[in-house]
Amino acid sequence: MKAVLLAGGFGTRLRPLSCTRPKLLFPLLGRPLVDFQLERLAQSGVDEVVIAVHHMAEILMAEIGDERYGIRIRYSIEQEPLGTGGAIRWARRYIGDEEFLAMNGDVVSDLDLRSLIDFHKSHDAAATIALYEVEDPRRFGVAVLEDDNRIRCFVEKPRDPSVGRAVNAGVYILTPDVFRYLPEQGACAIERTAFPKLAEEGKLYGFVHKGLWLDVGLPPDYLRANFALLDRQGSFISEEARVSERATVNPPVYIRRGAVIEEDAHIGPYAIIDQGVWVGRGARIEECVVFPFAHIGHHASLRGAIVGEHARIGRWVKVETNCIISDFAKIGDNATLISGVRVCPYKEVRESIFEPRIVT
Ligand code: GTP
């Protein structure tokens, strides 16, 4: 089977971290998010993937190349962003007249793609959508299911809990019939054009997934996705990392090769320290993702933050939850950044910041 992987979005909710890298190249336990998707597609018997790209297309194509995990990779390049529906329609020239899998590139899930394909084949469906039951459906579009898992309709942001909790998980099996339900040109979202019409005609089915599902939209989602994988995979400390015997490591942690952790540092729980990161004496890192080659000064304290590649955090700096320090940014010694401060790439902060804001 072939697959279309949607990778052309702007990732605006992850700014300013996404100013210097597309979302699909954000590291998940040190590997780009797109690798995680391609590996799962390969394991499910997909042999060719069309990656639909627009924003930072060149960076993605250079990084991914034309083969990964034994899968042939092609690119469908959009001159204008076409939305999820338009992107799938434009990628059709590589798919031909077969059934295919389509998925958002920013979903972290252990959805069993083989079971989804088998489910689709056992029903007379023009399309099958993977669904995920969320705790609180009030900010989503909920799929209302018949007893045989046919989707009757979608209810946007339901107030009535009896409507259900099954929301679109961003993974689909589509037949060529679906193209008749998409506008012939221009940008469109498949969720809002083809799917409601297919449901009306009784041609759309839902496959409910019960395991892990997270879509990486906002920075806390990105942290959660890393931590969820860390929980599943367990701690890892590379033999090529240098962790002082006098440092305290509270699992789970993920410490990659070339990282250096100096004495009296406290690492974890939930610290993902990428390759080549240097953590100074007495520094404390909890519930954070630190990108490659960042420098964390002596006695700095970071909690619930994301630190970009080659960023430099000075001595005795305090970084609170929901802060983002982008690639190559610098935070001067002794500064405190309260919760919600975002520092743009290459920017320097010399003084404390006591209100949540973006440093541009
Ligand atoms: P935000 O800008 O923060 O909403 O993030 P996003 O751009 O990733 O948008 P969203 O989360 O809605 O996108 C879901 C998936 O569809 C992601 O994998 C995007 O890369 C992809 N996507 C969104 N819009 C487009 C588009 O116009 N073209 C292509 N090829 N992919 C898209």
Side-chain angles (χ1 to χ4, degrees):
M1 186 176 263
K2 292 181 182 168
V4 175
L5 186 66
L6 294 168
F10 288 92
T12 41
R13 288 169 293 162
L14 283 174
R15 282 181 190 162
L17 266 180
S18 54
C19 296
T20 39
R21 75 186 70 226
K23 199 197 284 186
L24 268 80
L25 296 184
F26 273 52
L28 268 187
L29 298 191
R31 288 164 71 206
L33 173 52
V34 69
D35 258 30
F36 179 80
Q37 314 298 20
L38 294 173
E39 186 178 40
R40 288 179 57 241
L41 289 168
Q43 286 163 352
S44 317
V46 167
D47 50 14
E48 188 169 323
V49 175
V50 180
I51 306 187
V53 292
H54 166 70
H55 177 63
M56 296 192 180
E58 291 75 21
I59 299 179
L60 274 164
M61 294 190 297
E63 178 68 30
I64 303 168
D66 54 13
E67 206 239 282
R68 269 304 229 271
Y69 303 103
I71 297 184
R72 177 179 184 200
I73 295 169
R74 301 214 257 180
Y75 296 92
S76 171
I77 304 170
E78 293 152 43
Q79 298 310 326
E80 302 285 325
L82 291 175
T84 51
I88 293 172
R89 185 189 58 220
W90 179 233
R92 183 182 188 182
R93 63 201 188 285
Y94 294 122
I95 298 289
D97 265 339
E98 309 164 19
E99 267 175 1
F100 63 102
L101 194 151
M103 63 190 273
N104 290 353
D106 58 354
V107 166
V108 175
S109 152
D110 59 0
L111 167 66
D112 180 354
L113 296 173
R114 275 252 63 102
S115 303
L116 172 67
I117 296 168
D118 293 345
F119 173 93
H120 171 80
K121 288 189 188 299
S122 65
H123 293 78
D124 181 26
T128 300
I129 305 185
L131 300 172
Y132 180 73
E133 290 187 333
V134 291
E135 288 285 307
D136 180 2
R138 279 176 300 182
R139 58 188 185 97
F140 295 94
V142 168
V144 182
L145 293 176
E146 308 280 7
D147 289 342
D148 64 350
N149 277 45
R150 198 185 295 251
I151 297 178
R152 191 193 308 157
C153 61
F154 294 91
V155 178
E156 279 303 317
K157 304 190 171 75
R159 299 206 160 237
D160 173 6
S162 68
V163 165
R165 298 187 287 120
V167 307
N168 180 347
V171 185
Y172 322 114
I173 308 293
L174 307 176
T175 64
D177 203 19
V178 168
F179 292 110
R180 296 197 294 113
Y181 294 80
L182 285 171
E184 271 174 28
Q185 37 185 310
C188 68
I190 194 167
E191 314 80 300
R192 286 193 284 278
T193 50
F195 291 161
K197 284 189 242 157
L198 285 161
E200 234 175 81
E201 294 186 19
K203 291 181 170 178
L204 189 65
Y205 280 75
F207 172 84
V208 181
H209 165 61
K210 299 270 186 206
L212 172 71
W213 182 82
L214 282 160
D215 97 304
V216 179
L218 295 160
D221 302 324
Y222 170 65
L223 287 174
R224 263 197 293 278
N226 272 282
F227 301 159
L229 291 181
L230 184 54
D231 272 334
R232 296 191 156 220
Q233 223 164 289
S235 285
F236 167 79
I237 302 178
S238 166
E239 285 177 4
E240 294 168 62
R242 189 164 61 76
V243 180
S244 160
E245 283 177 6
R246 290 192 47 199
T248 306
V249 174
N250 296 315
V253 298
Y254 201 89
I255 303 177
R256 291 193 70 208
R257 67 168 184 267
V260 175
I261 314 288
E262 299 288 9
E263 62 198 44
D264 300 324
H266 281 70
I267 306 296
Y270 296 102
I272 292 154
I273 312 287
D274 215 316
Q275 60 172 311
V277 170
W278 184 85
V279 179
R281 217 169 39 242
R284 184 174 278 272
I285 302 180
E286 248 176 73
E287 294 170 26
C288 290
V289 175
V290 184
F291 286 22
F293 306 107
H295 172 106
I296 314 292
H298 298 308
H299 305 285
S301 166
L302 291 86
R303 181 146 197 252
I306 307 171
V307 179
E309 199 161 331
H310 288 283
R312 283 187 77 83
I313 310 286
R315 298 170 179 218
W316 297 100
V317 164
K318 185 165 185 231
V319 178
E320 297 186 351
T321 54
N322 289 320
C323 284
I324 294 179
I325 316 298
S326 300
D327 294 343
F328 293 94
K330 282 188 190 160
I331 313 297
D333 293 346
N334 303 309
T336 291
L337 306 188
I338 68 147
S339 182
V341 173
R342 297 176 174 207
V343 182
C344 285
Y346 299 94
K347 292 295 159 194
E348 186 165 355
V349 171
R350 294 186 185 183
E351 314 241 294
S352 295
I353 300 180
F354 294 116
E355 55 178 10
R357 67 177 176 95
I358 302 182
V359 179
T360 55

